[in-house]
Amino acid sequence: MNLDWNTLGFQFRPAKSNIRFHYKDGAWDDGQLYNTYDITMSVAANCLHYGQAIFEGGKAFRGRDGKVRIFRPEANGTRLNSSARQLLMPEFPVDRFVEAVKTVVRDNQEYIPPFESGGSLYIRPVMFGVTPQIGVNASLEYWLVIMVVPVGNYYKNGIKPVDAMISKDYDRAAPHGTGHIKAAGNYAASLISSKQAKDHHCPIALFLDPGSHTFVDEFGTSNFLAITKDGKYITPKSDSILPSITNNSLQAIARDLGMEVEYRKIAATELPELAEVAACGTAVVLTPVGRIFDGDKIYDYHQTEIGPVMKKLYDGLIGVQRGELPDKHGFITEL
Ligand SMILES: Cc1ncc(COP(=O)(O)O)c(C=O)c1O
């Protein structure tokens, strides 16, 4: 494959194929690989007007041994179904989802970056309702498409901390809303906060709980985690944040390292007291946060590099993903 693996970055580029399943008359079809990224639908399709659209994000890695390892595809399938239930969309059986991921990864093997590049194959499932309608009702017809995109090593120039800004004017989700599922609309809602943060030279926006604005929720596309001064891993408990598969995996690794993990409400007033802060998610695994801007206050974690505990967690997780460390928790599905 004629790609410059070392300059891939994280952006869409076509691969060989995507796999598509069509839901009609109450059932999913057997699915098929397509060599196009185009799809035909009515301009009256439900997803365009009323937002029945959900997605997922996962990754496959090529190991030093040449084997292809897919990271926790069953967790993506399970979360897709939890998103589907909330938006009255049809569930897709998790075992079929995992098989479909394997099929599309296998068909696009030549797009999986080599081990040495540090890149991976990003897996992007998306489900949307396509029934033409003007009344606000659940769609009767849906597509589930799983596409793959080769992506580069986000940290090829080293892991550098980024600044975050607390979103004061807008929430990404509502209390008892859709913040805990991967609904496309959540991301549209978070764009304005991300823009405000970027306008203040902060690459990421941090959201507080939408009910009281006193507890930490998460970043626009990643969970919040921190290390306390007494060495505990803490991460927010809230019903308006996405249950991150990366966060859940890092917690297992933290426990393996003998750390205490606290999954609890984190008051915004605790922010100045933390030792290390990071954002975590599939795309980056873990990004250290150097400073948090909170109105006219700045919490500075005095990091020019990734902190020592975050570094251990990061190495522990990418080690398993890349097949360099034992898979103690059954995170890997080999192709
Ligand atoms: C809002 C939000 N939170 C957290 C995450 C991290 O989740 P995961 O680790 O499953 O990628 C993501 C990215 O998927 C996200 O969009």
Side-chain angles (χ1 to χ4, degrees):
M1 181 48 44
N2 201 11
L3 281 176
D4 181 359
W5 303 112
N6 294 315
T7 57
L8 279 181
F10 191 81
Q11 67 205 46
F12 174 74
R13 70 182 75 233
K16 179 183 166 204
S17 64
N18 51 84
I19 191 164
R20 301 183 188 182
F21 298 85
H22 191 207
Y23 182 90
K24 201 177 170 187
D25 300 329
W28 288 104
D29 72 3
D30 290 338
Q32 199 179 316
L33 288 163
Y34 284 69
N35 296 115
T36 173
Y37 283 80
D38 294 343
I39 194 160
T40 300
M41 68 170 96
S42 166
V43 291
N46 166 304
C47 62
L48 299 176
H49 301 253
Y50 304 129
Q52 267 189 312
I54 56 179
F55 67 102
E56 272 302 321
K59 273 184 177 173
F61 300 82
R62 194 181 294 285
R64 195 191 294 277
D65 54 7
K67 281 189 188 156
V68 176
R69 293 174 176 82
I70 309 174
F71 189 68
R72 302 189 70 178
E74 68 295 336
N76 288 116
T78 302
R79 193 171 62 185
L80 182 79
N81 284 339
S82 113
S83 301
R85 281 194 298 276
Q86 170 109 11
L87 296 193
L88 295 189
M89 298 168 76
E91 294 186 39
F92 191 84
V94 173
D95 55 341
R96 287 190 65 194
F97 178 88
V98 173
E99 279 314 307
V101 168
K102 284 173 144 177
T103 301
V104 70
V105 171
R106 195 175 290 118
D107 199 49
N108 288 275
Q109 285 223 44
E110 58 188 333
Y111 286 87
I112 308 174
F115 174 83
E116 295 72 26
S117 71
S120 53
L121 190 71
Y122 182 70
I123 302 163
R124 166 54 64 86
V126 58
M127 190 199 290
F128 45 95
V130 290
T131 301
Q133 59 193 84
I134 51 167
V136 181
N137 291 300
S139 186
L140 298 171
E141 262 184 65
Y142 296 85
W143 282 100
L144 168 64
V145 181
I146 308 176
M147 63 177 195
V148 293
V149 184
V151 296
N153 177 6
Y154 197 79
Y155 292 125
K156 64 177 186 301
N157 299 320
I159 308 182
K160 292 285 170 233
V162 301
D163 289 339
M165 189 175 102
I166 294 183
S167 177
K168 297 281 188 188
D169 298 334
Y170 304 99
D171 295 318
R172 63 177 280 282
H176 313 295
T178 56
H180 62 297
I181 62 165
K182 221 161 158 60
N186 292 348
Y187 297 82
S190 73
L191 291 176
I192 192 158
S193 301
S194 299
K195 178 170 186 320
Q196 284 187 333
K198 286 184 183 124
D199 287 346
H200 285 81
H201 308 288
C202 293
I204 53 177
L206 176 60
F207 294 91
L208 301 181
D209 75 290
S212 71
H213 293 153
T214 52
F215 295 100
V216 176
D217 253 6
E218 65 172 334
F219 302 97
T221 59
S222 47
N223 269 186
F224 176 100
L225 74 120
I227 308 300
T228 58
K229 288 196 175 132
D230 58 355
K232 287 183 192 146
Y233 179 126
I234 62 169
T235 193
K237 184 173 194 166
S238 159
D239 60 11
S240 50
I241 68 182
L242 189 77
S244 153
I245 296 164
T246 312
N247 191 353
N248 175 274
S249 313
L250 288 168
Q251 289 174 35
I253 286 165
R255 288 195 193 93
D256 291 347
L257 293 169
M259 291 172 65
E260 207 174 308
V261 174
E262 282 183 1
Y263 170 57
R264 62 165 170 85
K265 286 184 159 203
I266 299 177
T269 50
E270 291 182 60
L271 287 173
E273 306 307 324
L274 300 169
E276 295 178 44
V277 173
C280 70
T282 295
V284 293
V285 177
L286 200 150
T287 306
V289 173
R291 295 181 297 178
I292 297 176
F293 289 75
D294 178 7
D296 52 12
K297 295 190 287 269
I298 302 175
Y299 314 130
D300 191 339
Y301 303 105
H302 302 287
Q303 293 190 345
T304 49
E305 304 275 325
I306 185 169
V309 182
M310 293 297 180
K311 175 83 171 101
K312 273 193 215 160
L313 294 170
Y314 176 81
D315 288 344
L317 187 54
I318 62 154
V320 174
Q321 290 178 328
R322 286 163 56 78
E324 298 284 274
L325 290 174
D327 176 24
K328 282 196 214 161
H329 299 281
F331 288 159
I332 299 299
T333 294
E334 277 186 21
L335 197 60

